[in-house]
Amino acid sequence: MTRINLTVDGMKVSDDVEPRMLLVQYLREKLGKTGTVIGCDTSNCGACTVHLDGQSVKSCNVLAVQADGSAVTTIEGLAGKDGTLHPVQEAFRECHGLQCGFCTPGMIMQSVDLLNNNPHPSEQEIREGLEGNLCRCTGYHNIVRAVQYASGHLAAAATPTGAAEEVTPA
Amino acid sequence: MIPAQFDYVAPTTVEEALAALRQYGDDAKLLAGGQSLLPVLRMRLNAPEWIIDLGRIDSLRGVREDGDAIVIGAMTPHSVVGSDPLVAQHAALVTKAVAELADAQIRHRGTFGGALAHADPAGDLGGPVRALDAEFVIAGANGTRTVSADDFFVDLFETAISEDEILTEVRIPKHTGWGAHHEKMVRVAHQWPICAVAATARVEGGTIADIGIGLANMGNTPLRAGGVEEALRGQPATEDSVRAACARAAEGTSPPSDLNGSADYRNHVVQVMCRRAVMGALEGAGA
């Protein structure tokens, strides 16, 4: 067993874990954070995407011991403490950026990462930025719209003049 | 699935990591970013007794300039390499290839040296580092040694790195002002290429002064399209000369046949992709 100390969704945690334990297992089985889901087991689908020190990673492809000393944000830590949805969560709801919803936690976490790096992505850049996330329902159209919507609203929040292009929910 | 049990050590210096390798030898596997190794462990294709995690060795991270070369630390994540201005200025081919490597999440975790040491013949970086005449700095018990890209790739998933050695950095001679283009054919997004061609060229007064071309998934190792390079050096930077030269792109290749394409198909398509890659590189060089 190896001792790990990390911060998950703003909460300090400390545990003895087997070195082979995957970060996604640790989040789900040790911490009960089942909002992060396991989709494919092959590192293809991106459903388990979380942020590790502010960057998106597939948590099935990281060992819990590798996250020692780091800060992890899951889908459960994205909303404000008072329950206010993150603008990207709000956008997925407004634009109905989901069908069955299984890929949604990963899609949202990757969309946040995409917008952190590129606040005004083109449609092509959104599609490429989400290429590591698979939607088995093939509901990509509204997912892309949701990211466009979030991009406009994040920009409007950042610039009071609200110069950003508006995307209305379909 | 989850990996089989292993013991774990995370040294903070290269010396400690080398000592751990000497101690655990054949029973150990080095962990870089883990984006290839962890799937292998999960699918139980490999079950080492020890994992030596290089992720805590700060000296292996970062990009720096050293005289005529750009030096990329082996543990530098792809996303850092891909957005580094020094790399973009002096080794544009690397920037272009990294942009098409896997997906954003994998690029955040996967490392430049880890991917090259893994030596997947369909990897995205083997072609570019061969085209750019990169050198590999490898640390062992008796200090470091440097291996050329031509000698680094030995066979399928096999490199010049010995069991008791660690790749520490990759040195890329500056190709300032060279045009670059990476042409990659995939079955689905974010996957390994069916075939990829990486080309970089320097043009002087409408003539191809120098050119480097690397191929992925066209043999057991990344290959260099030496015949095409030879045919193009000193030739006019025109589509006619490129088209004629790229007929030699399949010289010396031994591509796999698989569900995505037969060897014959790959030997055909590599010529087409070579022409596109070279034309893109020439355009980037101002031709």
Side-chain angles (χ1 to χ4, degrees), chain A residues 18-20 22 25 41-44 49 52 55-58 60-62 65-66 68 110 113 131-133, chain B residues 1-6 8 31 34-35 38-39 42 44 53 56 102-105 107-109 189-191:
Chain A
E18 272 193 282
R20 64 171 170 165
L22 305 172
Q25 276 182 286
D41 237 2
T42 56
S43 308
N44 274 290
T49 299
L52 184 60
Q55 291 190 315
S56 61
V57 302
K58 294 180 174 177
C60 73
N61 223 16
V62 178
V65 289
Q66 290 179 288
D68 181 29
Q110 181 52 27
D113 183 85
E131 70 183 341
N133 293 72
Chain B
M1 277 174 68
I2 60 170
Q5 280 189 330
F6 54 79
Y8 173 84
L31 172 64
Q35 301 305 283
L38 289 185
R42 285 205 315 270
R44 308 271 177 125
D53 181 2
R56 309 278 167 187
D103 55 52
Q105 293 99 312
R107 289 195 293 271
H108 283 148
R109 286 300 291 175
H190 79 71
Q191 285 291 359

Side-chain angles (χ1 to χ4, degrees), chain B residues 56-86:
Chain B
R56 309 278 167 187
I57 306 178
D58 291 338
S59 65
L60 292 178
R61 284 177 201 272
V63 178
R64 63 188 165 88
E65 201 169 7
D66 183 12
D68 293 335
I70 295 299
V71 183
I72 302 176
M75 286 294 290
T76 312
H78 299 304
S79 57
V80 172
V81 174
S83 60
D84 188 277
L86 281 174

Side-chain angles (χ1 to χ4, degrees), chain B residues 5-9 20-30 41 46-52 163:
Chain B
Q5 280 189 330
F6 54 79
D7 286 314
Y8 173 84
V9 58
L21 258 188
R22 278 195 297 277
Q23 189 177 348
Y24 306 123
D26 289 349
D27 300 329
K29 196 85 182 136
L30 293 173
L41 298 184
N46 199 335
E49 287 177 28
W50 281 89
I51 288 288
I52 302 170
E163 295 281 309

Side-chain angles (χ1 to χ4, degrees), chain B residues 259-275:
Chain B
L259 287 172
N260 294 320
S262 65
D264 283 349
Y265 173 75
R266 283 186 166 88
N267 275 333
H268 168 75
V269 86
V270 73
Q271 299 173 46
V272 178
M273 293 174 65
C274 192
R275 169 161 51 82

Side-chain angles (χ1 to χ4, degrees), chain A residues 76-100:
Chain A
E76 297 183 42
L78 209 53
K81 284 204 171 79
D82 61 353
T84 311
L85 293 183
H86 183 281
V88 176
Q89 290 176 303
E90 186 68 37
F92 270 69
R93 190 172 73 174
E94 282 299 316
C95 298
H96 197 69
L98 64 141
Q99 288 184 26
C100 83

